[in-house]
Amino acid sequence: MKRYRFYTRFCIPGRVLSANQRKGLLALFALLLSCGQNQVTVWVASPWQRVLRDTAPGPSRTVNIQAAANEYEPFRLIIRAGARPLKNVNVTVGPLASGRAGISAEHINLFRAYYLHITQPSPGAKNPAGWYPDALIPFQPVQKISDASFIAAPFTVEPGQNAEVWCDVYVPPGTAPGVYTGTAVVWSNGIQLETVPIKMTVWNFTLPQDIALRSHFGPLYREAAELMGLQPDTQSFYAMEHLYHQTLLKHRAVPATPASVWPPWDAQRGLVDQGESERIQRLVKQEHFNALDVPLRYEEEPEKCRAYLAAVAAWLRDLGYLEKAYVYLEDEPNDAGEYEHVRRQGALIRSADSGLARLCTEQTIPSQADWGNLYGAVDIWCPLWGLWDDVTAQQRLAKGEELWSYTALCQGPEATPWWQIDMEPVHFRAPLWISWNLHISGFLYWSSVAYKGHRSLQEVWEAPTYRGYFWGEGVMLYPGAPAGVDGFVPSIRLKLFREAAEDYEYMALAAAKGKREEADLIVAGVAVSFQQWSHDPAAYEQARARLAKLVLEQR
């Protein structure tokens, strides 16, 4: 300690430092010495890299990203401690500038990734057991997180381990194209450890507010609401449901249509509009719902059901929304009796109004020939990725029907891009490229909040499993309360879906400019079918840049 006392007394000529100043310098020198011995490493990871808590540092030390206006583009900062814990760590990212133009810090959101321990990998997973990042805890003011179990910052990095900070950069509409630069800074105990340069290229086009890919990411289920301490059909439930919608829609994922937008009906008065027209218009115009699932009420009373559906279809037609609507038929019919039920449902709906579409989670060719088929009963086919039959799918498309797809558990051939936490991140990108190639216009995910079977909200965070070993199945959103968040905390998987949905927007924009054939060739170069697709993340990045060039080119 003698050399520190000597230095603090004489480091500034002609000045003797006070006791507090000497203590501060001692703390600074001790921290810098510790960091030097600790071999702290800060590196940059792509969203498409698998980075676990013990993954060795990669080579990248700078951020280089590209985006259009009205697009989110993420990057990840990975902070690795050496032999000692790294304490009171924080990250800040300043505004990005390009001449006089800029992207303010309010459009740059930081999240700390929460690691969960996967002890038994999901069926079909080729990756090992370990600590995987998934829930993303938002950086927020301290007063909101005083009672939280999980906070974003400050945090500690354990010896020889990683911590991850996910950064979303949003490019607001109207942002001038160009190259924007800035920095991210990593701190420990208020001392700057590392500065990471950021370079962002903003392309000269804008993604639309309306969402190109139709989807259904499920409702706020009763079981999830009850675990969150909410009772259905209460003001607190509706407030949470609104936050649920907002979180999904911010990621270009469309929730199930809330029950509250469908007007009550009776045989004498018909539909009784008590403000439902205004509510459904708000969903479509302001929140950008592009798919509306009409409830199949009174099914056991066919005449009543027919009259009700006819009234709903007329109401939707008057609003201009009938083309966005569909009725969800028997889910996953799987025997002759269930096939017959679907046919009865389809005939009943068609007799009410031929313009009301009918969706079924079934492939376009029956599993058993003796069940018969569903042709004429279904307008929107939504098969599992592993059960896709392209010959009959394209036949249905040629007849004017629509193709969606869905995934659940780990069904289908081994090459299927299953959606579990311990699968490679590219699994969450490839399906939407495949969808474009196969002329699929919609996607269904059975639940975003499958909390049923969990005993507490914290357990959802620690073990978001279905049947105990499908990691992340049905849980795209984590309950916000354990992180001091009103509403929900997004998963990395939902962020990856948004990236893929934005890719789909590039394809749609190129097609709208008369360049469908060129876009198709680019997409087919990386993704052909649900069993034939590139596993190389770089291939999609290169193809995305080529799609952007298509959008930018003038005819």
Side-chain angles (χ1 to χ4, degrees), residues 146-294:
S146 57
D147 297 326
S149 300
F150 311 116
I151 63 170
F155 55 91
T156 296
V157 188
E158 298 299 333
Q161 301 293 324
N162 296 323
E164 174 179 329
V165 173
W166 179 286
C167 179
D168 271 343
V169 181
Y170 175 63
V171 183
T175 301
V179 176
Y180 290 72
T181 58
T183 56
V185 181
V186 179
W187 309 79
S188 176
N189 288 318
I191 305 299
Q192 182 173 315
L193 294 183
E194 192 71 59
T195 299
V196 178
I198 301 170
K199 175 184 175 184
M200 182 173 200
T201 301
V202 175
W203 287 317
N204 191 22
F205 64 93
T206 302
L207 298 193
Q209 294 288 356
D210 290 337
I211 302 167
L213 183 75
R214 302 179 75 193
S215 61
H216 178 293
F217 272 72
L220 177 56
Y221 282 106
R222 178 185 296 267
E223 295 87 354
E226 290 176 349
L227 192 65
M228 299 171 78
L230 304 170
Q231 293 301 315
D233 303 321
T234 61
Q235 289 303 312
S236 56
F237 172 84
Y238 292 133
M240 187 63 69
E241 184 181 53
H242 180 69
L243 293 172
Y244 172 76
H245 294 163
Q246 292 304 302
T247 307
L248 286 174
L249 290 162
K250 188 175 181 179
H251 294 84
R252 291 189 179 263
V254 181
T257 310
S260 60
V261 306
W262 302 111
W265 178 90
D266 66 46
Q268 285 72 40
R269 296 186 298 167
L271 289 181
V272 182
D273 193 331
Q274 299 174 326
E276 288 82 7
S277 290
E278 290 78 8
R279 284 197 284 276
I280 202 167
Q281 286 175 337
R282 185 166 58 249
L283 290 184
V284 174
K285 293 180 178 179
Q286 298 178 21
E287 300 182 28
H288 307 292
F289 273 65
N290 62 10
L292 304 168
D293 50 303
V294 177

Side-chain angles (χ1 to χ4, degrees), residues 41-64:
T41 304
V42 177
W43 57 288
V44 176
S46 156
W48 308 106
Q49 290 175 256
R50 177 168 54 88
V51 181
L52 277 59
R53 198 170 70 175
D54 60 355
T55 298
S60 180
R61 298 294 184 270
T62 62
V63 175
N64 188 356

Side-chain angles (χ1 to χ4, degrees), residues 280-281 284 292 313-325:
I280 202 167
Q281 286 175 337
V284 174
L292 304 168
W315 177 67
L316 288 168
R317 186 177 282 109
D318 288 344
L319 291 168
Y321 299 155
L322 186 60
E323 290 187 354
K324 298 180 185 297

Side-chain angles (χ1 to χ4, degrees), residues 23-90:
K23 288 180 181 179
L25 280 174
L26 284 172
L28 172 60
F29 296 149
L31 177 64
L32 292 175
L33 182 61
S34 171
C35 290
Q37 295 172 342
N38 206 11
Q39 296 180 328
V40 176
T41 304
V42 177
W43 57 288
V44 176
S46 156
W48 308 106
Q49 290 175 256
R50 177 168 54 88
V51 181
L52 277 59
R53 198 170 70 175
D54 60 355
T55 298
S60 180
R61 298 294 184 270
T62 62
V63 175
N64 188 356
I65 53 179
Q66 302 83 33
N70 195 35
E71 182 175 9
Y72 289 85
E73 189 62 22
F75 63 87
R76 300 154 76 192
L77 296 178
I78 314 297
I79 303 151
R80 187 177 182 89
R84 300 179 183 177
L86 191 62
K87 298 183 178 181
N88 292 316
V89 179
N90 209 333

